[in-house]
Amino acid sequence: MTAKHVTAIDLGASSGRLMDVAFDGNNIQIEEFHRFPNIPVFVQNTLYWDVLRIWHEITEGLQKRPSSTASIGVDTWGVDFALLDAKGHLLANPVHYRDRNRDGVMDWTFERVPKRDIFERTGLQFMQLNGLYQLAAMLRDGSPLLHHAQTLLMMPDLFNYWLSGTKACEFTIATTSQMYNPRLGDWDREMLAQIGIPTHFFTDVVPTGTKLGEYDGTTVIAPATHDTGSAIVAIPTTTPDFAYISSGTWSLLGLERNEAIINDAAYDANVTNEGGFGNSYRFLKNIMGLWLVEQSLETWRKDGHTYDYEACHHMVNEVENPFAAMVDPDAVLFLSPGDIPARIREYCTETGQTPPQSHAQVLATIHVSLAMKYRSVLDQLERVAGTRVERLHIIGGGSNNRQLNQMTANAIGRPVYTGPTEATALGNGIVQLISLGTLNGIDEARTMLASALDITEYAPQETERWQQNYERFLEIIQQYTETLV
């Protein structure tokens, strides 16, 4: 058959790219044809997304798409949203999830709706960056935007609206907001009203794969518009007994389930239920991920020390005792941009550890801590879901981190399989191809990827040593938590 081409617009926290995904009946090929930086803007103590610049880059890139392109689809990071006026115009640049102006708003929200009730209604992990708390912060601080807004669109929905003219929210991205109720299959307007958040500006939630309209004669399809939702589609597996990490700035570690798991155990573990393709649920936890490495490298670059990821790999290998210091990657201390190495030393001082001094020691601390955190979260997910997985797939850009892949296998005591690196764009394209009727479904796509991709396996090593240090890691986390009380 003649290859079918679709365009995946994949917008990440630090860059965006447009990818041609082509399927010839036997194989899927992917090729990047436009890339650009995604640089947030800090103005008057608020951190914003520069969505007009992103839109400009999207339209510039679409001019380069193959003439035979059958459809276009957008995926982005989760939780953030835009507000439009009655004429569909953008009221303000959307606020970045790392903005500090929502500090303290979670407790403010729980005074209006108890924390346990919010979880019962949404099934979502509690994180200050969730869209719910951005709206609550706007309400708390008296933002006039809430009085003028007529439409709320999550980030990919904004770009799909500008492409197609259709105002709608796709299922997977809606579930990242902590405002969607899996039992209702819709926004939880009752909960929002209890908090005081207006409910009139929420649009319909549409299924993954919905055809929204056209852009310049090309069909616009809503793939799994949350980037992780798209990435999970492209896991190259033929068996159900797997867990996954979508690895990048964030590490999203989870299991694939047919329905949301909302119970006391899930609440106590602070895990989340995010939507997936085919109305499935990604039972997972968000982990700070390679953000710690990225911010460390940026800090050192400003001091005149530049390292690429290959250099980082060798530096970690050179550290005699990588377990000398460990931190909880998810400590709030590490959330905002800045000097992560200094904060790691602060954390170690607070917990009675000898702080890492050299750049190599800091990197070793981050890598070991991430692998230990993965073990901790996987244990939680298996316990709450009442299951055991036999393998872990790491996909996304972080799957290139050989040192972390091996450490993860060591920590969890099970084999780790890595790739594809471009899972998000691949999954985006696969959903479009399914919507167009070119692919029969996700099982066909995963089977094809499992046989076609170059997958690397990492077998567990030194498991006894890792187990001994894992117990110490848990003690360190508990100790730091107690210092905050």
Side-chain angles (χ1 to χ4, degrees), residues 233-252:
V233 170
I235 292 176
T237 183
T238 57
T239 62
D241 61 337
F242 69 91
Y244 59 80
I245 298 176
S246 181
S247 179
T249 299
W250 289 91
S251 291
L252 296 101

Side-chain angles (χ1 to χ4, degrees), residues 15-16 23 29 38 56 66 68 92 94 97 131 141 158 172 198 235 279 286 310 334 338 465:
S15 67
F23 177 58
Q29 302 293 328
N38 181 9
H56 170 75
S68 58
Y97 60 77
D141 300 338
L158 173 68
T172 66
I235 292 176
N279 291 320
N286 291 272
E310 189 63 25
F334 305 130
R465 183 186 184 200

